[in-house]
Amino acid sequence: MTTTIATPATKAGDIPPEVSDRTRAENRLGMKLVAPALIVMLVVTAFPILRALWLSFYNYSLTAPEDRQFVGIDNYVTALTDSLFWRDIGMTVIYMLVTVAFELVIGFAFAMIMHRVIFARGVIRTSILIPYGIITVVSGFAWQFAFTYQNGFVNGWLPFVSADFNWFGDTVPAVIAIMVSEIWKTTPFMSLLLLAGLAQVSDDMIEAAKVDGATWWQRLFKVILPNMRAAIMVAVLFRALDAYRIFDNIFVMTAGAQNTESISFLTYRQSIEQFQLGMGSALAVLLFLSVLLVAFLIVKLFRVDLAQARGES
Amino acid sequence: MLATTLLSACSGDEGKPVLTWYLNPDGVDTLNAIAERCSTDDYDIETELLPTGATDQRVQLARRLAAEDDTTDLMNLDPVFVPEFANAGWLAEMPEDTITEDTLEGIAETARWDDTIYAAPMWANTQLLWYRKSLAEETGLDMSKPVTWDQIIDAASEVPGATVGVQGNKYEAYVVWINAMIQGAGGEIVSNTDAGIDATVEIDSEAGRKAAAIIEKLANSPAAQSDLSVSNEGTSLPAMFAGPGEFMVNWTFVYKNYAPSPENTITEEQYKDLGWARYPRTVADMPSKPPVGGIDIGVGAYSKHPDFALEAARCVTDTEAQVQLAVEAGLMPATNSAYDAPELAEAYPEDLLALFRESVDQGGPRPKSAFYATISSALQSVWHSPESVSDSTPQESAEFLKNVLEGKALL
């Protein structure tokens, strides 16, 4: 997904006139060397995308291949005018906003700890990163067991919750349980990206601010965070796109019951459970477009040049 | 030397063929023994386990078959999925004599699609009304005559703590319940199912409203179990011998499940108190249509060894296998001859065996459609939870189902 928003520093055919013949030849050679990989990539990425686009214009069930009908944009009209689609989009956005917000704050705290810790640095860094090494489905099951009132520990640990409270019996608690699992699993990834950004903030600047009498909070908000803006944006972008495609935790913990379904889950149900390849493909295309939109909005929101973030210009 | 090795590798000589048989996880030990018995000098049968849920089993098999997997030779299929798989071209045709006069009519119907036989019935399941004899006596209900849903709900409501156990979770068994009640009143969920997405939606009918009225009545009565909206075949079991007991609709496995053993706390006295009767009537003047379930064996259309697979399907569904499954695993036969086996008479009471056989023979299958999964899910969406069912539910579900089938609504 992220490849779609990358802006090449130098576009093909846009070589400044002062470039030497040798550079031009090298560029041509470079393009020739890259071409095979580019073609393979186009085949493996463009083919499924185009096929999904083509299928999305049909009313086509896998179990009734002979009943396939060309319906034009009907599937898109149906999806976009159906309340279920918008309910699932709304739920997906809530998952994304809440989990990324929590992950950003907790992830930054972890990054600070990992950056500053002197004692048992390796052990602490490894401990923080362990959840990210666990497969999402496994962590989903672990948290599902933790939240069940029959044998879970969560109800026992929370004084304001009764022992037989069913977390998966209603939408809000079920969504909270899914979000907890998601946050626990992916915060380490956020903290890893933020740690990289933190390491790039010059100690000299922080020292200078300290000498100027800046408090800890002032140093954080006026020096550290502004200098980490590119790293924060990359972290938020990566995690937001991941969170927008949330699937595994919902699949394991509620299977979409209690209105906890995300747009990815709806697409899965249509394509895999219902075998409705036409509608499933239309939803997949809409999911793809909405992911692009989310990426575009985040890049605009942070007003960061990705090329600059990569240190290319 | 190298040339010889390469030549032999290219010759296609792969040794004795191995047929893969995908099993749902019921009676697995017995099925493994049957696989071993049915392996011959020409081929071996190996078993692979499918997931627990019927929907997950369907998805896993479908994913293999849609990819034209040539190692899916034999598969255990829930009968409702046979039309879907056959219509998709994923099942090999079976010989005409796979279904005979000997096959119980209720399950025989499930193996046909488009006038062709696509599966071999292996076991036939059905639901009965299980109850505590002492509870029936206390309420004065005469269980020797057919009883209606209204009667058992009223009877259970009279006795504090007594309940009616059903499957009310948002899953396939809830549709089994709804379908049985609608058929019991002479109706159908859909008809003309051969027309695919143009099938006639019939659920908005007097029979549909009668089924909705029964669900509404139970959900609002003291006889409803506290977990009605998430209840399944297993959750209603403990209520039988707790307090005054229950009237429960459930599959044939219940009899073996309650048999006193070190794994449970059921006493002989309690076991003797267990009663059984034909599935309740929806309306007083029409015989009930007990649900029909079970397992049909399908042969994969892309199997590398279709002849061996058909031969193996015949062997694993023969009378010996059916009797073995009934005695060892409580999975009841699909043929009359297996029911007549002396081993079954030893393992089950005579009247219970007769009731099982009658229920399968006179039972009602769920809609036979290539879009069954869609129909089932659409019904679950509108009819769940049982507490929300009202007089308008059949009409709402008919409209929704039509829209979903025509691709005008998301499911």
Side-chain angles (χ1 to χ4, degrees), chain B residues 23 44 56 95 139 147 171 178 211 235 264 307 315-316 363 367 388:
Chain B
L23 307 176
D44 284 324
D56 296 333
T139 60
V147 290
Y171 77 135
I178 297 167
T235 58
N264 64 35
D307 294 340
C315 178
V316 299
S388 69

Side-chain angles (χ1 to χ4, degrees), chain A residues 266-280:
Chain A
L266 177 67
T267 309
Y268 161 82
R269 276 204 307 108
Q270 290 291 322
S271 310
I272 309 292
E273 270 186 28
Q274 300 295 331
F275 301 153
Q276 298 293 340
L277 297 190
M279 182 60 84

